[in-house]
Amino acid sequence: GENVEQHPSTLSVQEGDSAVIKCTYSDSASNYFPWYKQELGKRPQLIIDIRSNVGEKKDQRIAVTLNKTAKHFSLHITETQPEDSAVYFCAALAGSGYSTLTFGKGTMLLVSP
Amino acid sequence: GAVVSQHPSWVICKSGTSVKIECRSLDFQATTMFWYRQFPKQSLMLMATSNEGSKATYEQGVEKDKFLINHASLTLSTLTVTSAHPEDSSFYICSARGIMNTEAFFGQGTRLTVV
């Protein structure tokens, strides 16, 4: 089955700095890669996703890059703000319909003012 | 995005009793629902995957007789924790996906405390 590795497990940055979280996946058939943000005690929320036919996607301060050959994808947050502090999860999905999303172990991001 | 409602948000129960958690997709048909367990400061651990009208597929190490999952309709799945013990105390969260969607929408989660 799919295996998703996520690094780092914790990341501390100063407000205004950039943050990068990296994930690798094992199943070359995976074609959808979402990123979720989970604030303490709340449900994970989708913040950005990318499909295998695209190499990069950007939405304001966040961007995701995908390298299919190397089987890794990354989340980039620029100009970080304290409200960006949360746990971020990457995930990978092979196929659609009944296929399962496999999550990374999460990265706790702390943005200090 | 689509809405997934999970109920209850929190529950306290006595050891040995059973607790039922509901997960509803409010504005789409969820052909697949996923149940996760999350320990503090840890990732989402997939417990089982349920497809509407079929028996749930449980992940290795998850007791199917203890965590009963029913997905009887395209909008409702339930997780019943039977004969709950304190070690079952955790945050349980469901997610749902329609046949045409790759995105999974999460319920708000249920904080279970067994005393």
Side-chain angles (χ1 to χ4, degrees):
Chain A
E2 174 70 279
N3 182 46
V4 176
E5 298 285 339
Q6 183 172 346
H7 298 280
S9 56
T10 58
L11 179 59
S12 294
V13 299
Q14 291 290 320
E15 183 176 1
D17 288 349
S18 294
V20 181
I21 303 171
K22 299 181 179 181
C23 287
T24 60
Y25 61 99
S26 60
D27 188 347
S28 58
S30 291
N31 55 14
Y32 175 68
F33 307 92
W35 285 88
Y36 289 86
K37 175 183 179 182
Q38 187 179 26
E39 297 178 357
L40 188 64
K42 296 185 178 181
R43 76 182 89 190
Q45 299 273 15
L46 179 74
I47 55 172
I48 194 168
D49 56 14
I50 191 167
R51 299 179 193 276
S52 59
N53 58 348
V54 176
E56 184 174 358
K57 184 176 179 180
K58 191 173 182 180
D59 182 5
Q60 299 183 341
R61 294 188 299 110
I62 59 173
V64 57
T65 58
L66 171 65
N67 184 326
K68 287 179 60 180
T69 303
K71 288 190 282 189
H72 67 70
F73 56 113
S74 301
L75 177 71
H76 305 253
I77 306 174
T78 58
E79 300 172 35
T80 54
Q81 302 168 1
E83 50 266 37
D84 294 330
S85 297
V87 178
Y88 291 81
F89 295 98
C90 64
L93 173 72
S96 61
Y98 300 145
S99 300
T100 300
L101 266 177
T102 302
F103 285 88
K105 292 190 181 302
T107 297
M108 181 175 291
L109 174 64
L110 177 61
V111 181
S112 303
Chain B
V3 178
V4 176
S5 177
Q6 189 173 337
H7 178 82
S9 297
W10 60 270
V11 58
I12 301 173
C13 70
K14 291 184 177 180
S15 266
T17 61
S18 296
V19 174
K20 179 185 283 188
I21 302 169
E22 292 187 348
C23 182
R24 293 181 183 272
S25 57
L26 299 186
D27 51 5
F28 70 103
Q29 293 183 326
T31 51
T32 308
M33 286 193 174
F34 307 92
W35 287 95
Y36 297 88
R37 183 172 181 176
Q38 188 176 34
F39 293 101
K41 299 184 180 180
Q42 293 190 27
S43 188
L44 300 156
M45 185 189 80
L46 181 65
M47 299 174 66
T49 302
S50 73
N51 298 311
E52 184 267 336
S54 303
K55 289 185 178 180
T57 302
Y58 290 81
E59 296 299 301
Q60 193 172 10
V62 178
E63 298 176 58
K64 62 179 181 180
D65 294 330
K66 180 167 184 62
F67 299 99
L68 301 178
I69 291 172
N70 183 279
H71 190 171
S73 77
L74 285 171
T75 59
L76 173 65
S77 177
T78 60
L79 167 67
T80 302
V81 182
T82 63
S83 187
H85 290 118
E87 55 264 33
D88 298 326
S89 299
S90 190
F91 189 64
Y92 293 86
I93 192 164
C94 69
S95 74
R97 196 169 77 233
I99 189 67
M100 297 301 294
N101 297 323
T102 47
E103 179 181 351
F105 299 95
F106 285 88
Q108 59 265 58
T110 298
R111 173 76 56 194
L112 171 63
T113 302
V114 185
V115 298

